[in-house]
């Protein structure tokens, strides 16, 4: 049986930040489940960078079914968790079931991959204090307020926590996360 990895997300998550790790980790042989506030078809968004805009733009993205609700997740069933960005983290960080899930991963020192605005969720459980992280650059002050040292790099590794800025950094992010997974929770055939 393949090790299981959980992706926690919701509506308005960035399409690429959910689907790239979902496909890449499945390709590697992991059993990947997507959890959201409820079991439903999620509506993702596409964040892009366009000339003349001071920030990213947002367009409708893909839809994808959630495999289970946060309340149905047993964190002990999973070897790692992926925390995508987009706008979803702004409201998901307030969900007590999600906070319990994330806390369980940090309390047991299991691998966590976070990207873009995803660190807003891990900050909400107090998991970033004393750590080195990156995130979407506009979150630098949020990361410092959470007690983290912000680094503006493609991927930052702090123990089993791997963080990244945004979808253009996917290759570096997953490369570092897979190094940890291959050691901590290898796929055996």
């Amino acid at each position: 049986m393949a090790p299981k990895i959980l992706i926690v997300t919701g509506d308005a998550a960035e399409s690429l930040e959910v689907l790239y790790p979902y496909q890449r980790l499945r390709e590697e042989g992991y059993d990947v489940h997507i959890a959201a506030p409820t079991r439903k078809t999620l509506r993702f968004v596409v964040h892009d960078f366009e000339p003349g805009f001071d920030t990213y733009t947002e367009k409708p993205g893909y839809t994808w079914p959630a495999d289970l609700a946060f309340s149905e997740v047993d964190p002990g069933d999973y070897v790692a968790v992926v925390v995508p960005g987009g706008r979803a983290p702004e409201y998901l960080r307030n969900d007590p079931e999600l906070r319990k899930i994330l806390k369980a991963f940090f309390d047991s020192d299991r691998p966590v991959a976070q990207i873009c605005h995803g660190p807003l969720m891990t900050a909400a459980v107090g998991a970033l204090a004393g750590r080195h992280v990156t995130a979407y650059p506009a979150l630098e002050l949020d990361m410092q307020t959470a007690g983290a040292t912000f680094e503006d790099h493609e991927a930052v590794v702090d123990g089993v926590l791997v963080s990244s800025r945004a979808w253009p950094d996917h290759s570096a992010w997953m490369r570092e996360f897979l190094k940890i997974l291959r050691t901590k929770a290898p796929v055996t055939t």
Side-chain angles (χ1 to χ4, degrees):
M1 193 155 99
K4 294 195 287 187
I5 296 178
L6 185 66
I7 296 177
V8 291
T9 195
D11 285 330
E14 212 297 325
S15 293
L16 290 174
E17 293 172 3
V18 176
L19 296 175
Y20 179 81
Y22 178 82
Q23 296 292 354
R24 182 64 190 95
L25 293 167
R26 285 174 44 101
E27 177 184 43
E28 195 72 18
Y30 291 95
D31 183 10
V32 184
H33 298 164
I34 295 177
T38 60
R39 281 187 194 228
K40 69 174 206 164
T41 298
L42 299 169
R43 294 175 305 253
F44 301 143
V45 297
V46 172
H47 286 159
D48 209 349
F49 306 96
E50 296 182 29
F53 278 79
D54 292 332
T55 188
Y56 55 84
T57 61
E58 183 173 284
K59 299 167 186 69
Y62 293 104
T63 59
W64 200 266
D67 298 305
L68 62 168
F70 293 150
S71 62
E72 298 172 303
V73 172
D74 177 353
D77 290 344
Y78 297 89
V79 298
V81 65
V82 175
V83 185
R87 279 188 301 110
E90 295 172 10
Y91 70 92
L92 291 176
R93 64 185 165 174
N94 297 308
D95 188 303
E97 294 295 328
L98 171 69
R99 290 195 309 267
K100 283 193 269 186
I101 293 166
L102 292 175
K103 187 168 176 1
F105 281 92
F106 282 98
D107 287 351
S108 59
D109 201 35
R110 282 178 280 162
V112 176
Q114 62 184 13
I115 190 167
C116 194
H117 285 72
L120 291 173
M121 294 190 282
T122 55
V125 299
L128 302 184
R131 292 186 177 267
H132 290 257
V133 301
T134 195
Y136 188 70
L139 271 60
E140 180 175 0
L141 292 177
D142 298 277
M143 297 300 97
Q144 291 169 349
T145 300
T149 300
F150 181 85
E151 297 180 13
D152 189 10
H153 300 295
E154 286 181 316
V156 173
V157 179
D158 187 311
V160 294
L161 173 64
V162 180
S163 55
S164 192
R165 297 176 297 196
W167 60 261
D169 298 334
H170 273 159
S171 298
W173 181 49
M174 279 294 109
R175 186 170 34 254
E176 294 301 327
F177 191 52
L178 283 166
K179 285 180 191 175
I180 292 168
L181 288 175
R182 289 176 184 137
T183 300
K184 296 277 187 184
V187 174
T188 56
T189 54

